Amino acid sequence: MRFAALGDSLTEGLGDPAPGGGWRGWAALLAAAAGPHPDEPVEFVNLSRSGALAADVADEQLPAARRARPHLVSVVVGGNDTLRDSFDIHRVAEALDRTIGALRADGAVVLTACLPDPGRMLGLPSALARPLGRRMRAVNTVVHALSQRHEAVHVELSDHTWVADRRAWSVDRLHPSELGHRLLAREFHGALRARSIATGAPPSLELDGVAPSRAASAWWMATRGTRWIADRCTDLLPGLVSLAALEWRHRLRGTGHLLEDRDRRATLAALTAVTRGPAPAHLPHPSTTDPLPQPPQPPADPLIVGTPPSAATMAG
């Protein structure tokens, strides 16, 4: 059993320090319990990288994952895309479709997730939070639709109850704490159990790390936190100020629904562009002498083929 994790800092494990240094995170916790038999070891490789965008996953992490020939792959990405001034839902949809489609064509079981709204998590003013919220809904709509199309194992995290629990989040309010990573690992494990892919006990909720002290939190803000804010001020803030100004103009005129309609149309167009035909039955695979054992196949979900998602899907 081979498990590869693709994505950004969420999957890298930020917020859950490993005992020997570095990060552990939900994917490593899931790997210890993701096998089809409780006593079967799972080979785990974490290819995620802090700051990765959906295109980075498709261009850099996907080839490495395919060479590892995993039976199980997680693709959880998109949050960083919403925090960039260059956000384009068409590029996000194309990259995600390319990544998930290639892995499914290789026979891997793919895990996906809809993510919480970063603006709400950061506690931003409404004029700033609403544009980020629409971006996150667009990404989640795309992930939801592509997960159906490619028959991925999907979990909904955008409005999950534990998302509102402050204990589940680290000091930066964007990455889970150890508890949050454990809860996330259990969500994925439950989805795998529902497909009879994982049969063992779920990851434990018992914490083995130490919650960051006030001093540690202050140190993070003085070092990494200020750098993160500076980076976002460079690549997000100018565009976000423009978005906020546009938000206020529409709010004063009572035409905020036009912004919702615009983003909804863009999301539908992005999905239409990548779902005009059926999911690929085969994609060329990097040469290797190690044949890929077939993982347990999940039952088929309705496919989105050539049609825009339904209203229920758009609710994301």
Side-chain angles (χ1 to χ4, degrees), residues 5 39 55 64 110 128 137 178 206 245 277-278 283:
D39 57 347
V110 177
L128 298 176
R137 286 196 297 275
E178 180 189 346
E206 183 177 351
L283 290 177

Side-chain angles (χ1 to χ4, degrees), residues 150-240:
H150 294 294
E151 301 180 8
V153 179
H154 181 70
V155 299
E156 295 282 350
L157 299 175
S158 54
D159 292 312
H160 202 282
T161 54
W162 62 260
V163 170
D165 187 345
R166 187 66 186 88
R167 298 172 303 167
W169 297 94
S170 61
V171 62
D172 64 7
R173 300 181 68 90
L174 277 178
H175 299 100
S177 62
E178 180 189 346
L179 174 61
H181 279 285
R182 288 184 176 277
L183 288 165
L184 181 53
R186 284 174 73 96
E187 288 295 322
F188 276 119
H189 188 271
L192 292 174
R193 279 183 65 91
R195 300 286 189 96
S196 300
I197 297 171
T199 60
S204 171
L205 291 181
E206 183 177 351
L207 305 184
D208 55 21
V210 178
S213 63
R214 288 175 180 253
S217 298
W219 177 251
W220 181 91
M221 183 57 69
T223 55
R224 297 196 59 167
T226 52
R227 179 178 177 181
W228 186 90
I229 292 171
D231 289 344
R232 296 295 78 76
C233 286
T234 300
D235 60 28
L236 173 66
L237 188 58
L240 192 55

Side-chain angles (χ1 to χ4, degrees), residues 54 88-98 142 146 270-271 274:
D88 184 344
I89 192 59
H90 290 77
R91 286 202 298 266
V92 173
E94 187 279 330
L96 287 171
D97 185 58
R98 182 156 41 107
V142 166
L146 293 180
L271 279 172
V274 298

Side-chain angles (χ1 to χ4, degrees), residues 69-185:
R69 302 182 68 82
H71 306 98
L72 178 66
V73 189
S74 63
V75 180
V76 182
V77 70
N80 284 322
D81 291 87
T82 69
L83 295 172
R84 297 297 190 274
D85 190 33
S86 58
F87 176 76
D88 184 344
I89 192 59
H90 290 77
R91 286 202 298 266
V92 173
E94 187 279 330
L96 287 171
D97 185 58
R98 182 156 41 107
T99 300
I100 299 172
L103 294 167
R104 289 293 291 132
D106 287 345
V109 174
V110 177
L111 297 171
T112 62
C114 286
L115 299 174
D117 173 8
R120 185 183 68 175
M121 299 307 301
L122 288 169
L124 296 177
S126 60
L128 298 176
R130 277 195 296 269
L132 290 181
R134 284 198 300 272
R135 288 181 174 187
M136 196 71 251
R137 286 196 297 275
V139 172
N140 283 343
T141 297
V142 166
V143 171
H144 190 279
L146 293 180
S147 298
Q148 286 187 320
R149 180 181 186 231
H150 294 294
E151 301 180 8
V153 179
H154 181 70
V155 299
E156 295 282 350
L157 299 175
S158 54
D159 292 312
H160 202 282
T161 54
W162 62 260
V163 170
D165 187 345
R166 187 66 186 88
R167 298 172 303 167
W169 297 94
S170 61
V171 62
D172 64 7
R173 300 181 68 90
L174 277 178
H175 299 100
S177 62
E178 180 189 346
L179 174 61
H181 279 285
R182 288 184 176 277
L183 288 165
L184 181 53

Side-chain angles (χ1 to χ4, degrees), residues 229-264:
I229 292 171
D231 289 344
R232 296 295 78 76
C233 286
T234 300
D235 60 28
L236 173 66
L237 188 58
L240 192 55
V241 169
S242 298
L243 290 175
L246 181 64
E247 196 79 34
W248 272 109
R249 288 200 298 272
H250 277 275
R251 186 175 182 181
L252 291 173
R253 297 172 183 170
T255 56
H257 64 282
L258 297 178
L259 295 176
E260 298 281 351
D261 292 342
R262 178 203 63 186
D263 290 350
R264 188 178 295 110

